[in-house]
Amino acid sequence: QGCTQKYIVKNYFYYYLFKFSAALGEEIFYITFLPFTYWNIDHSVSRRMIIVWSIVMYIGQVSKDILKWPRPLSPPVVKLEMRTNAEYGMPSTHAMAATAISFSFFIATMNQYKYPFELGLAAAFVFSTLVCLSRLYTGMHTVLDVIGGALISAVLLVLLYPAWDTIDHLLLTSPFCPLFSIVVPLVLCYNYPKLDYYSPTRGDTTTILGAAAGATVGFWLNNQYSASAHTGTSVQPGHPLASSTMVFVLARFFTGILVVLLTRWLMKSAVLGVLGYRYQFPMGDLQARRRLEVEVPYKFVTYSCVGFTATVLVPLLHQLLGLM
């Protein structure tokens, strides 16, 4: 599984387009776009996207390990990625995430901001299509995997949309929200479907649920002590992008990302250090870090702190620096 086919790039436009598009379905995109939305566009839109994203991704990841459909064989396809090669193929979680994020963003903003409906719909369609096509180009999925992922995500969006406002209200106001947001994802992570060999799906799922849990606790805390997240029965959005100068937008973004990445590094080192002491393994031991009793708490604590930092500590820092 560590070997790749040799290949020659004949069309650099397609090569870089689809490599970039594939990255739009990975952690680097989640850890930038979702916080960017919260810091610069609209709190309510960000909350809805994070909830939809976490639910859709959990269902997609679990479906892979239950169905156990293999990825395309290489040869005949050429695989341009290796990290996810150990995962099963059906459904494509890249396709699911791209569909969920793009269309939930479109649905959540179309009634709050003035822009042509057709333009928003086209942007969501192009974004999700590029990510879906990238999975075919990189040899990681079949057409059926991609179509299945997009359709599952679309169905989940249709089912979740009528309950958006109710879920959002409960997560902001219920006294049980912090407990629910931590306990339920942890139970789901510890009871993730077992495989005969190691796959990064459990770790990726724990990362997603941990980030969503930390962010949800942050949303709730903000609502308890600040009027900026929720007022009465209506949602008061954060600063619209149109009303902020580009300098302030970029300053908020880069300051926030720096703090988020620093938090991830510090928590990762601290949690692995504690777990390494508890289970007697060096921090560089990859096999030990893949064990259930290590992987789940290490990733969940690390990324829940990342989510909490992005929604609570970074906005406080923005206020302190006069960037709001």
Side-chain angles (χ1 to χ4, degrees), residues 202 279 281 287-296:
R202 184 182 65 201
Y279 295 106
F281 67 87
Q287 292 302 318
R289 286 162 56 176
R290 290 176 171 179
R291 287 154 44 188
L292 173 68
E293 65 271 22
V294 175
E295 184 177 56
V296 170

Side-chain angles (χ1 to χ4, degrees), residues 204-267:
D204 291 344
T205 304
T206 305
T207 294
I208 293 165
L209 294 186
T216 303
V217 173
F219 298 150
W220 180 86
L221 193 65
N222 286 338
N223 183 61
Q224 305 307 305
Y225 298 101
S226 172
S228 62
H230 187 76
T231 304
T233 58
S234 63
V235 175
Q236 179 179 336
H239 285 276
L241 183 61
S243 67
S244 302
T245 66
M246 189 56 64
V247 172
F248 276 85
V249 169
L250 293 176
R252 281 195 293 267
F253 175 70
F254 285 111
T255 301
I257 287 298
L258 180 63
V259 174
V260 164
L261 293 178
L262 180 62
T263 300
R264 184 177 68 164
W265 177 74
L266 289 174
M267 292 308 303

Side-chain angles (χ1 to χ4, degrees), residues 76-98:
V77 305
V78 176
K79 294 188 176 180
L80 305 185
E81 299 176 14
M82 290 308 301
R83 179 186 176 275
T84 58
N85 197 36
E87 299 179 9
Y88 290 107
M90 178 67 172
S92 167
T93 46
H94 272 71
M96 293 183 70

Side-chain angles (χ1 to χ4, degrees), residues 14 17 21 43 48 116 126 176 190 242 257 267 295 298 315 318:
Y14 288 142
L17 172 65
S21 299
H43 291 172
R48 284 159 171 76
V126 169
F176 301 105
Y190 273 108
I257 287 298
M267 292 308 303
E295 184 177 56
Y298 141 55
H318 287 164

